[in-house]
């Protein structure tokens, strides 16, 4: 039973860590009375940054707490890295497998570097130079290819979700501890990464880095 927003945040972190795909959460009546559906959905969006798709249902019963059920689909970079680590590449699509092979080759120069900061700098620069920032609203033509690591690596175009997904994959392939961060604004959602280097966490926003890089490849 979830009684506070802090408890919900802890539950969401555990859900992602275990790669749970089917979610069932029950909230106490007191917490349900204080929590709006809009606030709950915003908490899910920002609290599950590894998740790309969320098919959910909220049931409120009079005198009882709300019940949330959902099916989660994890981001392409998360699935690709998990399959690579678990030797389950056969579950990936042909494009995902091809992109994963190319990504493994691209990060090879960083692997011998013992310093984590040097490894990360190589990967960050690789992403910023290889990928151009493109802003396209959800539902518009081409949007789906801007958000996933496989298509972003091959096409060289991404929005902030695509940048964070690709950087997540590349850092994971190089043994760096990395995670997503997500912030819901008034008009848009922004995503970036946090990476652990030499025992400390640092923010890393490759989408902004690419827009500041005059040497980044240009695309129509």
């Amino acid at each position: 039973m979830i009684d506070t927003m802090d408890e919900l945040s802890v539950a969401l972190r555990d859900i992602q860590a275990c790669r749970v795909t089917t979610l069932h959460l029950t909230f106490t009546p007191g917490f349900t009375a204080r929590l709006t559906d809009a606030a709950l959905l915003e908490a899910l969006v920002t609290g599950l940054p590894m998740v790309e798709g969320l098919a959910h249902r909220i049931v409120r019963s009079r005198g009882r707490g709300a019940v949330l059920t959902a099916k989660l689909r994890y981001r392409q970079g998360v699935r690709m890295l998990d399959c690579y680590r678990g030797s389950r590449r056969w579950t990936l699509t042909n494009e995902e497998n091809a992109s994963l092979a190319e990504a493994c080759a691209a990060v090879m120069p960083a692997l011998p570097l013992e310093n984590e900061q040097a490894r990360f700098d190589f990967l960050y620069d690789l992403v910023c130079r290889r990928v151009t920032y493109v802003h396209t609203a959800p539902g518009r033509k081409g949007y789906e290819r801007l958000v996933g690591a496989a298509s972003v690596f091959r096409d060289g175009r991404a929005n902030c979700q695509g940048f964070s997904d690709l950087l997540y994959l590349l850092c994971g392939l190089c043994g760096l501890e990395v995670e997503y961060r997500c912030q819901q604004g008034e008009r848009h959602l922004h995503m970036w990464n946090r990476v652990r280097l030499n025992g400390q966490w640092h923010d890393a926003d490759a989408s902004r880095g690419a827009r500041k890089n005059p040497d980044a490849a240009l695309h129509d």
Side-chain angles (χ1 to χ4, degrees):
M1 296 284 283
I2 305 296
D3 191 39
T4 66
M5 193 63 78
D6 286 341
E7 290 182 11
L8 177 59
S9 297
V10 171
L12 296 180
R13 286 198 296 269
D14 291 343
I15 285 164
Q16 289 188 128
C18 297
R19 302 292 191 270
V20 174
T21 56
T22 301
L23 174 62
H24 183 91
L25 292 177
T26 302
F27 303 93
T28 62
F31 187 48
T32 297
R34 302 190 305 271
L35 185 65
T36 65
D37 289 356
L40 175 57
L41 291 179
E42 182 175 344
L44 292 174
V45 170
T46 57
L48 293 169
M50 284 186 173
V51 173
E52 182 180 29
L54 179 71
H56 69 279
R57 182 168 179 251
I58 304 171
V59 177
R60 289 177 179 264
S61 302
R62 181 174 297 180
R64 299 180 181 178
V67 175
L68 167 72
T69 57
K71 289 186 177 181
L72 312 180
R73 177 174 173 79
Y74 289 87
R75 295 190 179 278
Q76 195 171 51
V78 175
R79 293 186 287 104
M80 291 170 67
L81 185 59
D82 285 353
C83 289
Y84 172 80
R85 288 172 170 170
S87 300
R88 292 182 288 106
R89 295 178 63 166
W90 55 271
T91 65
L92 299 174
T93 66
N94 290 337
E95 182 180 45
E96 289 170 342
N97 266 308
S99 294
L100 182 57
E102 293 175 12
C104 288
V107 303
M108 284 293 290
L111 294 178
L113 302 176
E114 295 184 2
N115 185 280
E116 290 182 339
Q117 182 70 58
R119 262 184 286 162
F120 174 75
D121 288 345
F122 176 89
L123 300 175
Y124 185 85
D125 184 67
L126 173 66
V127 173
C128 290
R129 289 180 178 275
R130 185 184 181 101
V131 184
T132 299
Y133 178 83
V134 177
H135 175 72
T136 301
R140 292 191 177 181
K141 183 178 180 181
Y143 174 82
E144 294 300 325
R145 294 195 64 81
L146 299 176
V147 300
S151 52
V152 167
F153 191 79
R154 307 203 85 185
D155 297 348
R157 297 160 59 93
N159 61 11
C160 63
Q161 296 181 61
F163 273 97
S164 62
D165 202 41
L166 179 57
L167 189 60
Y168 176 92
L169 173 64
L170 298 183
C171 285
L173 291 175
C174 282
L176 298 177
E177 190 175 352
V178 63
E179 60 186 28
Y180 297 87
R181 279 291 182 265
C182 182
Q183 184 177 33
Q184 180 75 54
E186 292 184 3
R187 296 184 178 180
H188 67 281
L189 183 75
H190 184 61
M191 290 195 66
W192 68 99
N193 299 99
R194 276 173 61 81
V195 60
R196 187 178 176 88
L197 302 173
N198 303 316
Q200 293 186 328
W201 285 97
H202 302 271
D203 285 328
D205 192 337
S207 68
R208 290 180 178 172
R211 280 176 277 178
K212 293 178 181 178
N213 179 12
D215 296 325
L218 298 178
H219 296 268
D220 295 331

